[in-house]
Amino acid sequence: MNKAGRQALEAQIKSMSRERTRRELPPVQEHIDKLKKVVEEGNYYGALQMYKSISARYVTAQRFSEALHILFSGSCLELEHGLVNCGADLALLFVDTLVKAKSPCNDETLDRIRCMFKLFPRVPVPPHLVDVSDDEDVHNLQESLGEARSRVENLTSFLRAAIKWSAEFGGPSTGYPELHAMLADYLYTECPELDMVRISRHFVRAEDPEKFASTLINFMGRCYPGEDDLAIARAVLMYLSMGNMKDANLIMDEIKKQAEAKHPEFSESDLIQFTSYLLETLQRDALPLFNMLRVRYKSCIDREPLLNELLDEIAQIFYGVQRKNPMEGMFGDIFKV
């Protein structure tokens, strides 16, 4: 038998095997009821392995909807019992199965993702100020912070995978906005160490500038001096780097309105003044003025390298200025030498 004949025979055998498996698999509810008992008996890890192996058999048989039903049920049940690692594992496997099945981004699937997301626990992060001479206090703090980081990492893995799936199978190219909003909100409220750059990247894709503005106002009341104006300028520039002038102006206006009473020093910041002038400049064809602003406010812009990167993107979007390739500059310097 030649190679082509062997390949055809192997394909036929595999197809017959899948068809036999498809016929042999029992109704999915039988597995769900059985696994629920295993979880309620306290055998959480054993149940996790069973959820994985049983759902894999349905995936092999290409009975994807039933595999998804098993994984969704398992994730919710484990999360309801406080087993975040187990629930997150199954939630991530749920999204992986969506990709294998090439399931479209639709309301039914998004409802399931919303349901799993709501079951991830929200536990107030303890204050970092403890009596360092008390070993028990220090131990409890370290344990609480470790658990919080683990929850955030698990939720992040799940939602990042869901965002990628939604972008590939019918949602916007940057991912479904509500998924970005979920992740941004959880990162802000639950993460022990706030990463406002990471949080902002999701908020600007969430199509909810009012919520983002409220979050930034809240951040102004809890951050170190000098972080507030940086976070606001970064947010506005991120919107502008996406060509979203409307939400950039909206968030700036909303923050100014809310910050007047609580933070009167807000408008005095050089970086905030630069951001306000920038928004006005971008409303007209004024590249020389744009460049002049960058020179005049260079010292405050240089506080964070990301701001210059965002401004380069803004110059390209609004004025057609091609970004300089960093490699060109490097090789140019080498050739000069």
Side-chain angles (χ1 to χ4, degrees):
M1 184 182 295
N2 60 27
K3 184 177 180 180
R6 285 197 305 273
Q7 290 176 338
L9 180 60
E10 289 172 2
Q12 186 177 4
I13 292 172
K14 287 180 180 178
S15 177
M16 291 171 63
S17 176
R18 280 197 300 268
E19 185 60 33
R20 185 169 61 251
T21 303
R22 182 188 293 269
R23 289 196 304 268
E24 291 172 354
L25 289 172
V28 71
Q29 193 60 44
E30 290 183 16
H31 289 304
I32 290 174
D33 293 340
K34 176 183 175 182
L35 290 169
K36 183 178 180 181
K37 291 180 182 178
V38 176
V39 172
E40 290 175 345
E41 288 169 359
N43 187 5
Y44 305 119
Y45 182 75
L48 173 64
Q49 301 310 310
M50 293 172 70
Y51 275 117
K52 288 182 175 181
S53 61
I54 292 171
S55 64
R57 288 162 56 191
Y58 282 86
V59 169
T60 300
Q62 296 187 341
R63 290 168 63 171
F64 295 112
S65 63
E66 290 154 298
L68 289 167
H69 192 30
I70 291 169
L71 292 167
F72 171 69
S73 170
S75 176
C76 290
L77 196 58
E78 296 274 20
L79 288 168
E80 285 169 356
H81 283 76
L83 278 298
V84 179
N85 290 342
C86 295
D89 269 2
L90 295 175
L92 191 57
L93 196 53
F94 175 88
V95 179
D96 183 55
T97 305
L98 288 175
V99 175
K100 289 178 180 175
K102 298 181 179 179
S103 294
C105 179
N106 56 32
D107 288 340
E108 180 184 356
T109 303
L110 289 169
D111 279 343
R112 285 180 160 184
I113 292 173
R114 291 184 192 104
C115 184
M116 289 184 280
F117 167 72
K118 289 177 182 177
L119 289 171
F120 274 81
R122 290 179 179 263
V123 182
V125 179
H128 287 34
L129 296 175
V130 298
D131 183 358
V132 293
S133 63
D134 189 323
D135 290 343
E136 185 176 352
D137 279 357
V138 173
H139 173 74
N140 290 340
L141 175 63
Q142 290 175 339
E143 193 172 74
S144 297
L145 294 177
E147 290 173 356
R149 292 188 190 100
S150 177
R151 287 193 298 272
V152 169
E153 288 171 7
N154 279 314
L155 188 278
T156 300
S157 297
F158 163 49
L159 283 185
R160 284 183 64 183
I163 289 167
K164 185 178 179 183
W165 156 78
S166 70
E168 292 178 0
F169 294 97
S173 60
T174 56
Y176 194 70
E178 187 182 351
L179 300 178
H180 283 289
M182 291 176 185
L183 183 50
D185 181 64
Y186 199 89
L187 287 172
Y188 184 73
T189 59
E190 304 301 312
C191 193
E193 298 89 11
L194 284 182
D195 182 348
M196 288 306 293
V197 175
R198 185 182 179 194
I199 292 166
S200 298
R201 289 192 189 281
H202 289 291
F203 261 127
V204 296
R205 291 165 174 79
E207 296 184 359
D208 191 354
E210 292 86 356
K211 172 68 174 176
F212 192 11
S214 297
T215 300
L216 288 170
I217 291 293
N218 179 273
F219 179 69
M220 290 173 72
R222 59 187 287 194
C223 66
Y224 291 108
E227 289 184 338
D228 48 2
D229 60 343
L230 194 56
I232 293 163
R234 185 194 302 122
V236 172
L237 266 60
M238 281 185 176
Y239 275 123
L240 292 173
S241 71
M242 299 168 64
N244 189 347
M245 178 75 101
K246 177 184 174 183
D247 287 343
N249 277 290
L250 193 154
I251 198 171
M252 193 66 173
D253 292 342
E254 190 66 26
I255 290 171
K256 282 181 177 178
K257 184 171 64 178
Q258 293 189 39
E260 279 180 356
K262 296 181 181 178
H263 307 277
E265 73 286 354
F266 163 76
S267 59
E268 298 174 6
S269 159
D270 285 348
L271 195 52
I272 295 302
Q273 289 179 11
F274 164 75
T275 307
S276 298
Y277 290 144
L278 177 65
L279 287 169
E280 294 176 11
T281 301
L282 294 177
Q283 292 179 25
R284 51 186 182 272
D285 187 9
L287 178 58
L289 181 55
F290 173 86
N291 290 331
M292 187 184 77
L293 284 173
R294 291 189 69 170
V295 172
R296 180 175 177 181
Y297 288 94
K298 184 177 185 303
S299 59
C300 62
I301 295 170
D302 287 346
R303 286 167 54 190
E304 182 173 277
L306 177 59
L307 298 184
N308 274 305
E309 292 178 25
L310 292 170
L311 285 167
D312 287 343
E313 292 177 18
I314 291 166
Q316 183 173 5
I317 289 172
F318 286 87
Y319 298 119
V321 177
Q322 291 300 310
R323 297 187 64 184
K324 182 180 178 181
N325 187 337
M327 297 299 289
E328 290 176 2
M330 183 181 76
F331 284 121
D333 291 341
I334 291 173
F335 292 140
K336 286 178 184 177
V337 173

